[in-house]
Amino acid sequence: MITKPINPSCESSNENLEDTLNLSRISLLMKIAFFTLACASSAFAQHMLWYEQPAKDWNSALPIGNGRIGAMVFGDPNKERIQLNDDSMWAGPGEQMVNAKGTPEDLKKVRALIDAGKYAEADAFLVQAFSRRSIVRSHQTLGDLHLHWRNNDTPVTAYRRQLDLTTGITTATWKRGETAFTQEVFCSNPDEALFIKLTADGPDTINLDVDLTRPKDQGHTTHETTAKDYTLAMSGQVTQRTGKVDEKPIPDMKGVKFEARLRADRNGNTVLAQDGKLSIRDANEVYLRLTASTDFWSEQKREIHHDGTRKGFIPTGADTTVLPSPSTAYDIARKNHIADHSRLYNRSALTLPTDPERENLPTDKRIAILKPGQPDRGLEALAYHYGRYLLIASSRPNGNPANLQGLWNHHIAAPWNCDYHLNINLQMNYWPAEVANLSETHTPVFTWMQELARRGAITAREQYGMRGWMSHHASELRAPTTMKSARAQWGGWIHGGGWMCQHVWTHYDYTRDKKFLSETGYPLLAGQARFYLDWLVEEDGKLISTPESSPENGFIAPSGKFSAVTKKAAMGQQIIHEVFTNTLAAAKALGIENDFTKEIATALPELDKGLHIGPDGRLLEWDKPYAEAEPGHRHLSHLYAFHPGNTITHEKTPKLMEAAKKSIDFRTKHGSVGIGWSRAWAVSIFARLRDGDTAHKHLHEMLRTQTLTNGFNSVFGKNKPVFQIEANFGATAGVAEMLLQSHADTLHLLPALPKEWESGTITGIKARGSHTLTITWENGQLKQATITKGPGQLQKNIMLAGKPIESTDPRLTIK
């Protein structure tokens, strides 16, 4: 059985340049034949998206990215559109930051209202005193690159469009008459640029016009384009004419200044610059190279260089020189891109046997024929790989964290600002980062969190009169931390920073990188812990948090009114307990013991952990068993200690585990976990319950009802396609959770293997302690598991399908 990705182009990071150049001269017909044969391979099909027609809309286009620059490629042989993104294209300049609002005296008043049982009044005053209310400052599209083909009178035949996840290259091939055309596009991290190669093999040549455009902002142009020699340049400044702060319109809101520059080279005849376009005539090969950046990097005193370091803003025109031969320059860039991409992508692979008839179908047709209870195992493996691919493409050390759409956004005013929601969305984006062996993709999160902590310290001090740092539920590029919501059920939550701190500890737990822990991780954890130490109040001998809410949910107060704010809500207490616990663990790992760590150690036993069982046997979500305002609410916030936390386990807390299960059953019975990220969360939730069949059911339903033709997930389902990316990442994490768990000092092999996955192999999956595993199973039984130990101590207990397995078992190899 093949247990690692096949690279259909037979390229690897060890190839020399001569091999690459020879490969580039293989005829188009041989390539097509090779791809056709390769599609019969299960392993190959599970790393490929392909189609028989161009993308009809944005939700059908294929994503590429280098972490900072991204594109959606349509593959249209007549009027090609390549929609462009830069992850720092944001409205709202740095000096227009949303500052803290409210005072410690206001906090005392909110707490007094809660103590008096005036919950609705507490909701209203909390928003009045502290919230900046509705804010519109969106991440925006960079623009569009258009290729207007002129020799398009002859009908197109033999069309194929594909995205090869193993190489990060999207290709479209077609014929017009006797001429075969190829378009190849990729976004290189080493070269910080987008590359396009166009070829014509036959009697006809390439004749097209090239331009760069950008959508207008409420009818107003925000860019200008110039053409000179072989170069197109587009520059301008982001605006947000629908901008708001405090629900007040700010029509003159401006953002980053940007520039994109396209260089055209050709092996053939003519390139003319005129009327803001490039006109290419009678070419056999065309090479396009696009670079882009914004002055955000200058503002941050960081600059994009080709080695990924950040040192200040460079006009992109300063680096458009190519080697004398365009084909040689392109082949070198292509080779470097594949080596860089495959270094990450090839670390892990999932192989599941699939019906060959399905494997040979285009991706959109495979998704369309999915029916309840009739899964496509190969498509499920593809979902695991697609999430890894998207994370590599949208989150690298040279850029910012993946946002609500990762990197790919074609709007001027995007849904939910395409920003960072810290009440599950940004966190779910990074659930697969460590377990799927992609720790480097986590790096921009921690760079951004350092700015979040700096601004969060201002909010903590000025708004609440406390030490340390904190953040509310939503943030953006420049990491504001203040409350911004018109309703308490969304904004009245103080644990955005606390939840993000879980990722700090998780990164260390998986990598055992003490340099990271010392320089970055511990300061972040300690700062958040300091805030919580000041925030907590004593009640009935316990330390509790107030005001508290449960993200986006609410309850019916005894007065009969809908309310969101109370005290000691389960999730908040659980997060505080986790932050204290992880801060002490980090201090121990670094040999730190001082008055501050003693302060935490003293507070921890007195802390209410937020783990209370109600009269109906479920975990309480708030401080009392209030009537549910929405019994099937999409968030499972009060289960944080169960997942993504690990305080509640089968072995150590069986009563709490049963209460968690009853809570899950109640929510799902009333329609929860039905859409978007909530469905993806359910995959991991049921995997933790060791219920593989139900976890698999949710994965299948996510693919069947919410997955668009290009593999993106729609938060509202396919009938109302609004793209959010966290479910793609959550699906990858959920698949990993079904096959390996390593929390609570126990290594669980195949803890939630569904019956539908009777045989398969997972390679390169990571466990806490930086251990790497390969697991193969047949007929639902473990065949072989190999554990390559990392620097951390191997978990004390090893379990197989929920039962202990001895380290001497012949099916288990420990290196």
Side-chain angles (χ1 to χ4, degrees), residues 428 431-432 435 636 642-644 664 677-691 694-696 698-699 729-738 741 743 752:
M428 186 178 283
W431 283 358
V435 68
L636 300 170
F642 169 64
H643 183 278
I664 296 165
W677 52 264
S678 185
R679 177 79 75 179
W681 194 359
V683 178
S684 287
I685 286 283
F686 282 97
R688 279 283 176 94
L689 287 175
R690 300 177 189 168
D691 182 352
T694 303
H696 177 258
H698 284 290
L699 177 65
F729 295 135
T732 297
V735 169
E737 195 79 20
M738 293 162 73
Q741 297 173 21
H743 58 284

Side-chain angles (χ1 to χ4, degrees), residues 422 452 456 469-475 480-481 493-498 528:
L422 308 184
L452 193 75
W469 71 276
M470 62 81 65
S471 178
H472 291 88
H473 90 290
S475 190
T481 56
W493 190 71
I494 64 162
H495 300 290
Q528 184 67 63

Side-chain angles (χ1 to χ4, degrees), residues 175-248:
K175 293 186 70 176
R176 289 189 187 276
E178 298 302 316
T179 302
F181 293 89
T182 301
Q183 172 182 287
E184 186 175 78
V185 191
F186 64 88
C187 221
S188 167
N189 183 277
D191 283 306
E192 288 281 356
L194 180 145
F195 292 86
I196 303 171
K197 178 181 179 181
L198 305 170
T199 63
D201 186 358
D204 291 335
T205 56
I206 298 169
N207 292 272
L208 51 79
D209 298 325
V210 184
D211 64 9
L212 288 168
T213 65
R214 188 167 193 268
K216 292 183 178 181
D217 182 5
Q218 298 294 299
H220 294 265
T221 300
T222 63
H223 73 285
E224 62 178 19
T225 304
T226 59
K228 184 178 180 181
D229 297 329
Y230 303 112
T231 303
L232 275 178
M234 180 177 69
S235 59
Q237 185 171 15
V238 167
T239 63
Q240 190 91 68
R241 291 185 175 270
T242 57
K244 290 182 181 180
V245 173
D246 292 333
E247 295 185 333
K248 299 175 183 177

